[in-house]
Amino acid sequence: MTPAQIIFLITAIVTLGSALMVVTTRNMVHAALWLILSLLGVSVTFVLLEAGFLAVVQVVIYIGAIAILMIFAIMLTRGISEKEGPQINRNWPWALLISLAIFAGLAWMLSSWSGLSTQIIPLDSRVDTISQLGQALVSPNHYLIPFEVASVMLLAALIGAVIIAWDGK
Amino acid sequence: MIPLSWYLIFAAALFAIGIFGVLARKNAIAILMGIELMLNSVNINLVAFWRYITPERITGQVFAIMVFAVAAAEVAVGLALIISIYRRRKTIVAEDIDMLKF
């Protein structure tokens, strides 16, 4: 095994283990902390895939913004969330069955796909992927319109979140 | 090197865990966490396919950035909804929020 494979296996085990803790642990604050570990594992996976910019964005947006927002929401609704009873509903065997069926279906579909044995080719060292990504996002021939639509959507979400959470006083 | 199949199986497992979280958890914030896990597994797939299948075109990474934007918007609005419901109904258990049900 190469060092990259060993790093990948450790990352995958940590990520999947902490994801399991996210969906099973009773304490919501602990679930949010496990979620942060899981997101960090995904960021390491991006590094292994040589997508450095996405790894940084993963840490900044997911861990720095989304996970912190979740912790704030948990603290604002504290006490009600972990008072009594189990944290999973009574239909959980069905949920387990559905998720196992989806995993098995995806694995079966992947095993019959011919492109699975595609070999990795080294990236062209003359091309800088970050500048390529930046050019693609603002070039009219590539993804300018989706980029603008995404920024309008973020503005709409910002205004919507303020209006929804406003208590009217 | 790491085979492509490892990434895809890893992403599929993360997606299945996320689906379990969405379907089984009572707390609405925990359901949002499950959705985050699912979006992350999709991002792993997008970047893995970019790296292995079409490394000369940047499409996979652009799509992953769009997923980031959608995830940020979804969490902001979702948590605002949860806080608003908590303020009016004093609960964030998903099965108790049934105002639209006859």
Side-chain angles (χ1 to χ4, degrees):
Chain A
M1 274 215 270
T2 63
Q5 286 179 331
I6 294 169
I7 293 173
F8 176 83
L9 285 180
I10 294 172
T11 309
I13 290 168
V14 169
T15 307
L16 292 179
S18 49
L20 274 177
M21 291 301 290
V22 170
V23 296
T24 52
T25 186
R26 280 182 49 85
N27 190 324
M28 283 305 295
V29 179
H30 291 180
L33 296 177
W34 284 113
L35 180 74
I36 289 178
L37 187 59
S38 184
L39 297 174
L40 199 64
V42 175
S43 154
V44 174
T45 314
F46 287 157
V47 173
L48 286 173
L49 282 165
E50 297 176 65
F53 179 69
L54 285 185
V56 174
V57 168
Q58 169 88 8
V59 172
V60 171
I61 294 185
Y62 265 105
I63 299 176
I66 293 181
I68 300 303
L69 202 60
M70 290 216 164
I71 290 175
F72 263 101
I74 290 166
M75 289 196 292
L76 285 174
T77 59
R78 195 87 188 269
I80 208 92
S81 52
E82 52 214 35
K83 235 182 340 199
E84 78 280 342
Q87 284 292 306
I88 52 176
N89 60 31
R90 61 184 180 283
N91 294 325
W92 70 269
W94 287 105
L96 189 64
L97 190 70
I98 289 172
S99 59
L100 286 179
I102 284 177
F103 177 69
L106 284 171
W108 174 77
M109 195 179 74
L110 286 173
S111 67
S112 61
W113 181 49
S114 60
L116 204 58
S117 56
T118 312
Q119 287 302 311
I120 195 163
I121 40 175
L123 285 176
D124 190 353
S125 58
R126 284 163 304 168
V127 180
D128 180 12
T129 36
I130 295 181
S131 71
Q132 201 187 357
L133 179 63
Q135 299 277 343
L137 277 177
V138 292
S139 150
N141 296 324
H142 288 91
Y143 301 101
L144 178 64
I145 304 269
F147 183 71
E148 293 295 334
V149 171
S151 53
V152 172
M153 181 199 68
L154 283 174
L155 179 67
L158 177 72
I159 298 173
V162 170
I163 290 176
I164 290 169
W166 187 261
D167 65 353
K169 295 192 192 90
Chain B
M1 283 311 289
I2 307 167
L4 175 58
S5 54
W6 289 18
Y7 288 107
L8 300 184
I9 291 293
F10 169 48
L14 197 59
F15 190 84
I17 293 173
I19 272 197
F20 177 78
V22 170
L23 292 178
R25 294 291 293 231
K26 273 183 170 174
N27 193 317
I29 298 175
I31 292 174
L32 275 181
M33 287 183 185
I35 295 174
E36 292 310 312
L37 291 177
M38 289 159 71
L39 287 170
N40 266 285
S41 77
V42 171
N43 265 350
I44 293 174
N45 264 3
L46 286 171
V47 179
F49 281 130
W50 162 75
R51 185 66 190 82
Y52 281 78
I53 310 282
T54 59
E56 72 281 357
R57 297 161 75 187
I58 204 72
T59 313
Q61 287 207 31
V62 174
F63 258 83
I65 287 184
M66 294 297 158
V67 173
F68 278 130
V70 171
E74 166 250 321
V75 151
V77 176
L79 291 178
L81 281 171
I82 289 170
I83 288 172
S84 174
I85 289 169
Y86 174 72
R87 197 177 284 140
R88 281 151 217 251
R89 307 271 305 220
K90 296 289 167 216
T91 180
I92 52 167
V93 176
E95 54 194 26
D96 294 346
I97 305 166
D98 53 2
M99 286 165 278
L100 281 176
K101 203 156 88 181
F102 282 104

